[in-house]
Amino acid sequence: DVKVTQSSRYLVKRTGEKVFLECVQDMDHENMFWYRQDPGLGLRLIYFSYDVKMKEKGDIPEGYSVSREKKERFSLILESASTNQTSMYLCASSPTDRESYEQYFGPGTRLTVT
Amino acid sequence: GQNIDQPTEMTATEGAIVQINCTYQTSGFNGLFWYQQHAGEAPTFLSYNVLDGLEEKGRFSSFLSRSKGYSYLLLKELQMKDSASYLCAVKDSNYQLIWGAGTKLIIKP
C-alpha cells in the first residue's frame, strides 16, 4: 500500500520561529511536492523536486525553502514563520512517468502561527 | 493567466446522480485529474482524462471536452460517504498541476 507520511498532523508555532515540516514516501517516487491549501483557494504549489538535491520553485515560494537530501524525504522549512503562513500543508509524491502520473498525498499538517 | 472554475458547493440526495462541472483555461493541456478529499484528510485520486470522451469507473465517470475546456465528474447511486470535496486539476504545458478550489458535495438522506 502506497504511503506518504508527514511529521505532524497539527502544529502551533510563534511568529518568527523556524519551522520544519517533514515528508517521507515509501514508493521510490522521483517527484515530490509541497502545497498549501487555504479555504476558497485551490492547492498552491510551494516547491517541488524531481530528484535528490534538486528543487524548483512553485507558484508561491516566498518565505519557504526546501531540502531533499534523500530520495524518500522532502522537507519544507519556514525560516521565520509569520501569521499569513497559517495553513494546511500537503506533501505529495509521484513517479517519473510524466504522462498520466497521479500524485499521492500525505495526510497534511495543519500549521497555526500565532 | 491560468484558471480552473468549479462550483463552490452542491447538494444532492442519497441514491441520486450528481454532475460536478469544471471549466479550465490553462497554458497548454496534458491531462485532467479529479480527486476526492474528505474533510481533514488528504486528496485521493479518482480519475484521469487526456482524450475527449467519457471514462467510467464504477459509480464514478469523468468526461472531457478539450475543445470546450470542460470536464465533469458524474457520481451515480450517491452514498452518504460521497460527502466530500471534489478537486479538478489540469496538467499544463510544463506538466505542472493547476488546481481548482474544489466543490463541496453535501449528500442528504
Side-chain angles (χ1 to χ4, degrees):
Chain A
D1 198 17
V2 297
K3 204 155 191 181
V4 180
T5 56
Q6 295 183 227
S7 49
S8 306
R9 290 300 303 271
Y10 300 93
L11 209 53
V12 180
K13 295 291 182 180
R14 294 192 175 183
T15 301
E17 279 193 88
K18 191 169 186 176
V19 182
F20 292 87
L21 302 181
E22 294 212 317
C23 175
V24 177
Q25 50 98 0
D26 65 359
M27 297 164 282
D28 202 36
H29 285 169
E30 287 77 12
N31 306 324
M32 296 189 75
F33 308 83
W34 274 107
Y35 293 94
R36 64 177 283 176
Q37 185 176 34
D38 299 289
L41 301 176
L43 294 173
R44 292 183 290 168
L45 183 63
I46 304 170
Y47 269 95
F48 60 100
S49 169
Y50 286 138
D51 202 351
V52 176
K53 296 192 184 294
M54 178 272 176
K55 60 186 178 184
E56 293 283 347
K57 292 180 180 179
D59 300 318
I60 52 165
E62 297 77 20
Y64 304 94
S65 62
V66 290
S67 172
R68 192 162 181 206
E69 295 297 318
K70 293 184 177 181
K71 189 176 185 181
E72 68 270 17
R73 189 180 297 269
F74 193 35
S75 301
L76 180 69
I77 303 150
L78 288 66
E79 294 290 342
S80 178
S82 63
T83 55
N84 63 13
Q85 293 177 311
T86 291
S87 186
M88 169 69 87
Y89 289 87
L90 290 165
C91 174
S93 73
S94 69
T96 301
D97 173 7
R98 306 182 83 184
E99 284 302 314
S100 63
Y101 65 77
E102 63 187 87
Q103 293 185 7
Y104 295 86
F105 285 84
T109 296
R110 186 165 294 281
L111 173 67
T112 302
V113 182
T114 61
Chain B
Q2 309 206 83
N3 197 49
I4 310 281
D5 284 319
Q6 311 177 230
T8 302
E9 187 173 295
M10 299 181 70
T11 302
T13 304
E14 191 176 15
I17 299 173
V18 70
Q19 177 175 311
I20 302 174
N21 296 326
C22 171
T23 58
Y24 62 89
Q25 293 172 313
T26 56
S27 56
F29 179 85
N30 282 299
L32 185 144
F33 292 81
W34 284 96
Y35 280 77
Q36 181 190 59
Q37 186 178 26
H38 285 100
E41 297 183 11
T44 54
F45 170 79
L46 285 178
S47 68
Y48 170 75
N49 294 71
V50 65
L51 299 176
D52 290 350
L54 189 68
E55 295 276 346
E56 296 187 77
K57 195 186 288 187
R59 293 190 298 115
F60 292 8
S61 303
S62 56
F63 172 84
L64 174 67
S65 169
R66 289 172 296 171
S67 62
K68 295 182 179 178
Y70 167 70
S71 172
Y72 67 74
L73 181 68
L74 191 72
L75 291 74
K76 302 177 185 175
E77 303 169 14
L78 285 170
Q79 302 174 10
M80 297 304 293
K81 67 178 182 179
D82 297 330
S83 292
S85 289
Y86 292 86
L87 313 180
C88 174
V90 171
K91 194 185 311 180
D92 69 9
S93 55
N94 294 320
Y95 292 89
Q96 294 306 317
L97 284 180
I98 310 301
W99 295 82
T103 299
K104 183 178 180 180
L105 178 63
I106 299 168
I107 309 296
K108 295 186 175 179

